[in-house]
Amino acid sequence: MLSLGTGLGLSVVSPWSDWNVTAVRVATGAGIFTLLVAVIASAVGGYVAGRLRTRWSGVHGDEVYFRDTAHGLLAWAFATVVSVGLTGAAATQIVAGAASGAAPAASIAARDGAGGPFDGYIDQLLRPTFAAPADGAARPPMAPGREAADRAEIGRLFMRANRGRGDLAPADRTYLAQLISARTGMAPADAERRVAEVTEQMKQALNEARRATAHFALWLTAALLCGAGAAAWAATEGGEWRDGIRT
């Protein structure tokens, strides 16, 4: 069922689609499907565990009910551990294959100074302008070979801001605007405006990623709890069918 959900999700969500699918909506949909999978699979496992148990004679009904519930929870716990182990093994194989296939691309990216999580934002900041500066002042030429060092420095500034709320310190924002102005030939005011726009885009993307992660974590917790409850309830139902209470 998890494989079916993965296939359906990849079939629906497409980067070339014009649907308004955000990370939060994807996480919510994945969470709902995970909850349904947990309830259905745990209920089946709990029912089988309760139905196939040996019937006890001379035991109080409450004790039988408790033991059936415990067996359902044990079946749910065992299945959860096995599922996590299989999923982790599959993910390890996928990551290993992707890493071996991406090694040439990674070497090229390292040679070109790319491959960081903020490369797209750095590209927007350092995008050259082909118009003359608004104030007509000539910009001093940058020293050759400084682009890789500047990109690394901007990445470090973004990384430090990312540890907080995505806001650059005032001194870092001023320095970054001066660096953009010197590298692209933009007026200082335009450089400051570009820094503000790119920083705002980065903050929005960061907040959306955090929200999506939080949503999926909550849905996953709910799926585990509902799965445990479904397994315990189904085990008691299976026990009643086993003992002839249900016909």
Side-chain angles (χ1 to χ4, degrees):
M1 294 183 68
L2 288 175
S3 300
L4 174 63
T6 303
L8 292 176
L10 293 177
S11 300
V12 173
V13 179
S14 173
W16 294 276
S17 175
D18 56 354
W19 292 5
N20 187 19
V21 180
T22 61
V24 174
R25 292 183 179 180
V26 172
T28 301
I32 293 175
F33 188 83
T34 303
L35 189 146
L36 294 177
V37 170
V39 170
I40 296 173
S42 299
V44 172
Y47 178 83
V48 172
R51 186 69 182 270
L52 297 182
R53 256 194 339 102
T54 303
R55 181 176 181 177
W56 286 301
S57 58
V59 180
H60 194 275
D62 293 339
E63 181 67 18
V64 174
Y65 185 87
F66 172 79
R67 294 187 181 188
D68 288 336
T69 304
H71 277 74
L73 291 175
L74 287 175
W76 164 82
F78 179 75
T80 301
V81 172
V82 172
S83 299
V84 170
L86 293 177
T87 305
T92 301
Q93 294 294 329
I94 293 174
V95 171
S100 62
S107 62
I108 296 175
R111 181 191 63 193
D112 295 339
F118 304 107
D119 283 346
Y121 303 109
I122 297 175
D123 291 337
Q124 295 183 43
L125 289 175
L126 298 179
R127 187 172 298 161
T129 176
F130 300 100
D135 55 1
R139 304 288 182 231
M142 297 294 296
R146 282 286 307 170
E147 182 176 359
D150 291 339
R151 293 179 67 92
E153 184 177 11
I154 296 174
R156 289 192 296 270
L157 293 178
F158 282 162
M159 185 65 69
R160 183 168 61 184
N162 190 30
R163 296 192 182 101
R165 296 182 178 271
D167 289 327
L168 290 169
D172 294 337
R173 184 183 293 270
T174 301
Y175 169 76
L176 188 56
Q178 295 174 353
L179 177 62
I180 300 306
S181 178
R183 287 204 59 87
T184 63
M186 299 177 65
D190 295 335
E192 293 178 359
R193 190 178 305 111
R194 176 180 287 188
V195 171
E197 293 174 354
V198 173
T199 305
E200 184 63 27
Q201 293 178 13
M202 184 180 65
K203 288 173 57 178
Q204 292 178 0
L206 177 63
N207 290 331
E208 185 175 1
R210 287 175 176 172
R211 289 175 55 196
T213 304
H215 276 68
F216 185 73
L218 294 175
W219 278 110
L220 184 59
T221 303
L224 291 174
L225 294 176
C226 292
W233 169 79
T236 59
E237 293 291 318
E240 292 180 355
W241 280 92
R242 177 202 64 224
D243 296 338
I245 300 176
R246 294 288 184 90
T247 56

